Amino acid sequence: MKLENIKLKTDYLNFDEEFFHKVKPMPLKGAFLISANAEIAKLLNIDIDELSSKEFVEFVNGNTILEGSEPFAMCYAGHQFGYYVPRLGDGRAINLGELNGWHLQLKGSGLTRYSREGDGRAVLRSSIREYLMSEAMHALGVPTTRALAVIGSNENIARERWEKGAIVLRVSSSWIRFGTFEYFYYKKRYEKLEQLADYVLKQSFSEYADKENRYILMYEEIVKRTAHLMAYWQSIGFSHGVMNTDNMSIAGLTIDYGPYSFLDDYDFDFICNHTDVEGRYSFGNQPNIGYWNLSMLLKALSPLINMDKGKEILEKYPAYFTQKFHSLMCAKLGISESKEHSKLIQWLFNIMQNDAVDYTLFFRTLSEYNDRSEISKLFISDKRIVEWLEEYEKELPYKEGMKRVNPKYVLKNYMLQEAIEKAEIGDYSLVDSLLKIAQDPYEEHAEFNSYAKATPHQLKALKLSCSS
Ligand code: AMP
Ligand code: MG
């Protein structure tokens, strides 16, 4: 379809004005296309030729408003680092409407009623990171929002230094957050809370929408999806960085990519966000925070559901998480899901932690080694890992399947940094190269072999800030 023939829907605007704020995007000066994602264009039924047109840049820049679209920002609240903030909202994201079940949103397209002291903008660096990473996560089988395109500009944006403004066109089956419910709960707008719950049921849990106990069924599904999401993150070594309740998707998706990071070396205590001094959102603490966030959501849903029942469901979270994590880890090791194997897995994590082994490289090597030395050379000392391998090999791992679940490539921060530094001097070639390996991470791509090695020592565990 040509852009001019696309028609968007905006159901959210049927709500009362407290839910949103209609706002026009503020286009960036000197906008140009950095990269467009043909996979998403296909899902949206947009002609591939359109992606290289001037009109497409105008569309992502918010200059062209498609038929049916009435741009708006959503209102929400949230617990940030444990403290309740009564009004957040889309401070720099503007929703355009829905197409084929995908809700289109511009991030970085200017001020809204919810911008607070922010400028409504996103910089090139963080926009490239979000664009690439959401696609990488999808290819790794992790539920996530996605992205159609990223554009750059020559507009100066003030951060710790001057940077250039950019916009990502993100798409998702839902943009509702735990914090959207919290907003109406803390304002004691229970009728609106109920309207929101019915909307979410229709949008993300339609199989329950007509059931009498639909709110409790919805909560259970959110608990389950969140537990599974945490299991995916832990199994691939992904650290989100800012798991505030406003960054938790009601649909169980990875949402709002900020200072995230893949593990370089395995480190349970890894903190990717340098402002997170206490490590609330450290890698190893993510499953606990998932639980805490769900308990905040339960509180926000308390006017709609029986709390005893709700607590009972919340208490299923550890089992949902553990089962999924166990199953994903057994698949990574190519062994059956026998409960007995959890000892083998924990033993491995202990050795990896002790020897600071590159997480992704270890599992990929394990998927294809012929000789134990190929594995043991990744470790500081042979002895412990060889003892582990002796036990592991007794389980007769199924190597064939392992390469399909252990990626050769993940987008480590140093790789993204390299693409960003090039982009900042006008060379966007690496963005497209990284998109290619991000979307197809289990394949060999021999030309990118250097990215499959352990992270170079001086580039390990780069810390990032929220200022994006
Ligand atoms: P985040 O931690 O990036 O998810 O953002 C937390 C809140 O701050 C959300 O309400 C954002 O919309 C808002 N925000 C972040 N950066 C900006 C910005 N540059 N301008 C306006 N609002 C922002
Ligand atoms: Mg956010």
Side-chain angles (χ1 to χ4, degrees), residues 127-278:
S127 304
I128 289 176
R129 284 172 55 84
E130 172 141 16
Y131 174 73
L132 291 175
M133 195 56 184
S134 58
E135 287 307 297
M137 292 290 266
H138 172 74
L140 293 169
V142 184
T144 177
T145 64
R146 301 189 66 187
L148 172 65
V150 55
I151 61 168
S153 76
N154 55 33
E155 198 152 322
N156 287 325
I157 305 293
R159 293 292 182 266
E160 280 114 359
R161 59 185 166 99
W162 287 105
E163 299 192 48
K164 294 293 181 207
I167 296 175
V168 181
L169 195 158
R170 315 194 284 184
V171 306
S172 177
S173 63
S174 168
W175 288 110
I176 310 294
R177 301 142 192 276
F178 288 14
T180 321
F181 282 94
E182 289 181 294
Y183 177 83
F184 293 104
Y185 169 73
Y186 285 92
K187 286 202 117 189
K188 299 195 167 58
R189 302 275 205 273
Y190 301 148
E191 249 167 78
K192 288 179 180 159
L193 190 77
E194 190 168 348
Q195 287 168 15
L196 178 67
D198 285 330
Y199 175 86
V200 166
L201 274 155
K202 224 170 97 198
Q203 183 175 79
S204 304
F205 310 101
S206 54
E207 64 277 33
Y208 304 135
D210 298 322
K211 298 248 160 67
E212 203 185 318
N213 55 345
R214 57 190 182 278
Y215 302 128
I216 198 88
L217 289 169
M218 174 180 83
Y219 182 63
E220 176 149 16
E221 188 63 29
I222 298 168
V223 169
K224 195 193 275 177
R225 288 193 197 181
T226 305
H228 289 178
L229 185 66
M230 294 306 112
Y232 279 116
W233 288 2
Q234 299 313 110
S235 75
I236 61 172
F238 175 80
S239 195
H240 179 281
V242 197
M243 288 177 67
N244 293 333
T245 55
D246 51 298
N247 289 339
M248 295 294 289
S249 155
I250 212 78
L253 309 170
T254 313
I255 193 174
D256 283 11
Y257 290 86
Y260 70 79
S261 178
F262 269 105
L263 295 181
D264 294 301
D265 296 344
Y266 179 75
D267 179 8
F268 188 81
D269 300 317
F270 176 65
I271 303 167
C272 61
N273 176 359
H274 77 72
T275 51
D276 183 11
V277 188
E278 288 172 7

Side-chain angles (χ1 to χ4, degrees), residues 76 80 88-92 114-116 118-121 159 242 244 246-247 256 468:
Y76 54 81
Q80 297 195 310
L88 293 161
D90 292 328
R92 54 169 168 170
Y114 315 111
S115 297
R116 297 177 295 156
D119 59 2
R121 294 301 186 194
R159 293 292 182 266
V242 197
N244 293 333
D246 51 298
N247 289 339
D256 283 11
S468 58

Side-chain angles (χ1 to χ4, degrees), residues 412-451:
K412 292 173 172 169
N413 272 345
Y414 86 93
M415 293 158 61
L416 292 160
Q417 201 50 37
E418 210 178 303
I420 289 163
E421 280 167 24
K422 281 196 167 161
E424 286 182 340
I425 52 169
D427 174 0
Y428 304 99
S429 55
L430 200 47
V431 175
D432 280 318
S433 302
L434 291 186
L435 182 66
K436 188 170 157 200
I437 56 175
Q439 290 186 324
D440 195 13
Y442 304 105
E443 283 308 315
E444 290 299 327
H445 308 288
E447 69 274 31
F448 295 112
N449 265 343
S450 66
Y451 290 137

